[in-house]
């Protein structure tokens, strides 16, 4: 990921970088993929030049405090950790692109 890539993404918040530098996870309100239609903070991942979305891009969060918060990335860069403070929302995992 280059500085130009980051600039194109608009406002990017909390980020986590894998130790090998091949994966970066970050959250933003910007809709970077067509499937992101909720106008809320979502967590994205950039892995080996491909952009993917970890959250579903559809769920509406009542406030920033309820939105997904990036907690980290493991040593392999294959697992991301985040929290969501939304009543009734079950946890889920997605495989990195």
């Amino acid at each position: 990921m280059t500085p130009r890539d980051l600039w194109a993404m608009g406002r990017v918040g909390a980020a986590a970088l894998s130790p090998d530098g091949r994966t970066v996870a970050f959250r933003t309100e910007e809709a970077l993929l067509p499937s992101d239609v909720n106008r809320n903070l979502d967590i994205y991942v950039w892995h080996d030049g491909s952009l993917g979305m970890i959250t579903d891009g559809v769920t509406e969060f009542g406030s920033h405090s309820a939105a997904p918060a990036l907690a980290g990335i493991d040593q392999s860069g294959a697992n991301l950790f985040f929290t969501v403070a939304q009543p009734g929302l079950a946890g889920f995992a997605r495989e990195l692109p």
Side-chain angles (χ1 to χ4, degrees), residues 73-85:
I73 189 167
D74 74 352
Q75 289 293 318
S76 71
N79 296 293
L80 304 177
F81 306 98
F82 63 94
T83 61
V84 179

Side-chain angles (χ1 to χ4, degrees), residues 1-2 6 12-27 43-49 70-81 96:
M1 177 173 286
T2 68
L6 284 173
V12 174
L17 180 65
S18 66
D20 64 6
R22 294 176 52 201
T23 305
V24 62
F26 57 93
R27 69 182 208 160
I43 297 178
Y44 284 85
V45 63
W46 181 273
H47 178 73
D48 285 342
L70 189 58
I73 189 167
D74 74 352
Q75 289 293 318
S76 71
N79 296 293
L80 304 177
F81 306 98
L96 296 177

Side-chain angles (χ1 to χ4, degrees), residues 50-67:
S50 295
L51 181 65
M53 188 167 41
I54 300 300
T55 50
D56 66 10
V58 177
T59 301
E60 295 279 344
F61 300 99
S63 68
H64 277 303
S65 63

Side-chain angles (χ1 to χ4, degrees), residues 31 33-40 42 44 53 56-60:
L33 294 173
S35 57
D36 186 354
V37 296
N38 64 5
R39 295 184 173 183
N40 285 134
D42 285 292
Y44 284 85
M53 188 167 41
D56 66 10
V58 177
T59 301
E60 295 279 344

